[in-house]
């Protein structure tokens, strides 16, 4: 592990009246994380839930309040994104922030289609085909490739000129991540020349322990990436997320008891949900910092990653989340780098 990041849902527990203060708490968390030495702050992309739903506008504000920390999406489901508009927003924020955007994308979860398709609009292609097509279009746009022609002229664009992304942030295309979860996805990510973001979820169950299955995905990704892109000067990069909840006293235990109990109650000891699709989830690493260090050092995916992403609980307030980030930065991360 060379880098340390964190992931927040930017939760809003106060309903409509609490939305503004929740966003302010999220900005405060990024400021705190930067002061503690975190390299990247990642956010989920969630539609219609009481979490952050507009990452790029949030990042634009965060860019004005910070100077070094990067801003990542982990991840945006491309089925419900317009690739041209996303590229315009991401490129604008990247330029505003001095090249700090880490753009994480994926296809999204097909099971949500019956709920979200009527809202965003139905399409002719199957869910995954549509998402993959939009992702491919996004990469074309970020590359600065011509997207169309001005024809007889369009506003300030002369006749016959190509239509291309404005503004173009040249380095952003090389900072696009794909959300992994299976062996096939890891290999395809390498074939696309993208960076690999592994979360706390595996979308397939191979029978291997969660961390080992993820380590196998990372190994396959790196091998394929080197095979295809090793002579281009580009290098593979992997981020791995783990839910880390240090418990130093009774107050910590009281604050996080509901989350820890609820998370464990939904799955068996191997991270298999008691009901639902055949996914696998990583365990929550909680307790004394020394025990968490031991668990992370024994995790083959963590030891194989470039960046460890501390995934914060979806519940809890900014004070509790700042405490987690501080304990990790001061008492856990140094031991992992020793």
């Amino acid at each position: 592990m060379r880098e340390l990041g964190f992931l927040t849902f930017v939760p809003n527990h106060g309903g409509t009246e609490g939305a503004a203060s929740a966003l302010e708490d999220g900005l405060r968390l990024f400021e705190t994380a930067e002061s503690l030495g975190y390299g990247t702050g990642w956010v989920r992309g969630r539609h219609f839930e009481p979490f952050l739903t507009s990452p790029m506008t949030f990042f634009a504000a965060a860019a004005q309040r910070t100077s070094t920390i990067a801003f990542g999406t982990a991840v945006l489901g491309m089925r419900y994104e317009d690739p041209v508009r996303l590229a315009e927003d991401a490129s604008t924020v990247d330029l505003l922030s001095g090249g700090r955007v880490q753009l994480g994308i994926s296809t999204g979860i097909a099971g949500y289609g019956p709920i979200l398709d009527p809202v965003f609009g139905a399409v002719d292609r199957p869910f995954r085909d549509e998402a993959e097509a939009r992702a491919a279009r996004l990469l074309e746009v970020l590359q600065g490739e011509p997207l169309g022609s001005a024809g007889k002229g369009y506003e300030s664009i002369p006749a016959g000129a190509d239509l291309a992304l404005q503004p173009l942030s040249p380095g952003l295309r090389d900072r696009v991540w794909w959300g992994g979860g299976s062996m096939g996805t890891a290999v395809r990510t390498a074939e696309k020349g993208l960076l690999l973001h592994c979360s706390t979820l595996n979308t397939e169950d191979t029978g291997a322990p969660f961390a080992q299955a993820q380590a196998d995905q990372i190994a396959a990704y790196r091998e394929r990436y080197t095979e295809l892109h090793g002579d281009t000067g580009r290098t593979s990069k992997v981020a791995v997320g783990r839910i880390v909840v240090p418990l130093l006293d009774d107050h910590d235990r009281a604050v996080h008891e509901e989350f820890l109990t609820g998370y464990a109650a939904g799955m068996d000891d191997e991270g298999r949900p008691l009901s639902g699709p055949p996914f696998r989830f990583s365990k929550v690493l909680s307790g004394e910092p020394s025990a968490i260090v031991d668990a992370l050092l024994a995790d083959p995916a963590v030891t194989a990653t470039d960046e460890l992403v501390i995934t914060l609980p979806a519940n809890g307030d900014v004070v509790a989340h700042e405490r987690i980030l501080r304990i990790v930065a001061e008492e856990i991360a140094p031991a992992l780098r020793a």
Side-chain angles (χ1 to χ4, degrees), residues 209-247:
F210 177 91
Q212 186 57 57
Q214 209 167 58
D216 293 340
Q217 295 166 21
I218 293 170
Y221 161 75
R222 292 200 193 278
E223 180 180 357
R224 186 63 170 154
Y225 195 102
T226 300
E227 178 184 345
L228 295 177
H229 312 292
D231 58 354
T232 65
R234 297 160 59 190
T235 59
S236 62
K237 189 172 183 181
V238 179
V240 168
R242 290 293 181 265
I243 306 173
V244 175
V245 183
L247 303 175

Side-chain angles (χ1 to χ4, degrees), residues 94-109:
D94 200 47
L95 292 167
L96 285 171
S97 65
R100 288 190 276 155
V101 171
Q102 303 287 335
L103 184 56
I105 61 174
S106 73
T107 56
I109 300 177

Side-chain angles (χ1 to χ4, degrees), residues 23-328:
L23 292 170
E24 179 62 31
D25 285 345
L27 294 173
R28 169 181 159 182
L29 195 65
F30 270 73
E31 291 178 290
T32 298
E34 180 175 89
S35 72
L36 292 170
Y38 285 79
T40 306
W42 300 86
V43 300
R44 296 285 196 215
R46 294 298 184 99
H47 297 295
F48 309 112
E49 295 186 71
F51 306 118
L52 184 64
T53 59
S54 183
M56 291 304 155
T57 51
F58 177 84
F59 289 162
Q64 306 308 300
R65 303 261 289 258
T66 59
S67 57
T68 60
I69 194 168
F71 312 116
T73 53
V75 286
L76 301 178
M78 287 305 299
R79 165 62 183 88
Y80 302 114
E81 296 288 340
D82 181 285
V84 178
R85 285 292 299 117
L86 176 57
E88 290 173 336
D89 288 346
S91 190
T92 297
V93 176
D94 200 47
L95 292 167
L96 285 171
S97 65
R100 288 190 276 155
V101 171
Q102 303 287 335
L103 184 56
I105 61 174
S106 73
T107 56
I109 300 177
Y112 296 159
I115 299 171
L116 295 180
D117 282 3
V119 177
F120 285 91
V123 293
D124 294 332
R125 287 179 287 208
F127 182 98
R128 183 166 296 278
D129 292 347
E130 180 66 26
E132 289 281 1
R134 295 188 185 205
R137 184 64 162 171
L138 174 67
L139 298 178
E140 292 175 351
V141 179
L142 292 175
Q143 196 71 34
E145 296 181 10
L147 308 176
S149 172
K152 296 180 179 180
Y154 170 75
E155 297 290 350
S156 63
I157 306 174
D162 290 331
L163 302 180
L165 175 63
Q166 292 289 341
L168 174 67
S169 187
L172 182 54
R173 166 60 181 81
D174 293 332
R175 284 178 270 118
V176 179
W177 301 69
W178 192 271
S182 69
M183 183 65 73
T185 299
V187 172
R188 288 191 295 272
T189 300
E191 292 171 347
K192 295 172 184 175
L194 304 180
L195 313 179
L196 179 65
H197 196 290
C198 298
S199 71
T200 57
L201 164 69
N202 276 335
T203 57
E204 66 181 1
D205 186 351
T206 64
F210 177 91
Q212 186 57 57
Q214 209 167 58
D216 293 340
Q217 295 166 21
I218 293 170
Y221 161 75
R222 292 200 193 278
E223 180 180 357
R224 186 63 170 154
Y225 195 102
T226 300
E227 178 184 345
L228 295 177
H229 312 292
D231 58 354
T232 65
R234 297 160 59 190
T235 59
S236 62
K237 189 172 183 181
V238 179
V240 168
R242 290 293 181 265
I243 306 173
V244 175
V245 183
L247 303 175
L248 302 190
D249 53 33
D250 290 341
H251 180 264
D252 289 337
R253 284 183 277 275
V255 166
H256 298 295
E257 180 180 7
E258 181 181 357
F259 169 75
L260 294 174
T261 302
Y263 190 91
M267 62 191 73
D268 64 19
D269 292 340
E270 296 298 322
R272 296 183 176 93
L274 300 181
S275 61
F279 292 167
R280 291 285 291 274
F281 292 86
S282 66
K283 297 179 180 179
V284 176
L285 303 179
S286 63
E288 293 288 337
S290 60
I292 294 173
V293 168
D294 290 343
L296 290 171
L297 290 175
D299 186 317
V302 171
T303 57
T305 194
D306 300 294
E307 178 179 344
L308 173 62
V309 179
I310 303 302
T311 303
L312 296 169
N315 59 358
D317 60 19
V318 65
V319 174
H321 290 169
E322 284 179 322
R323 179 166 169 79
I324 291 175
L325 293 184
R326 186 173 301 278
I327 294 171
V328 169

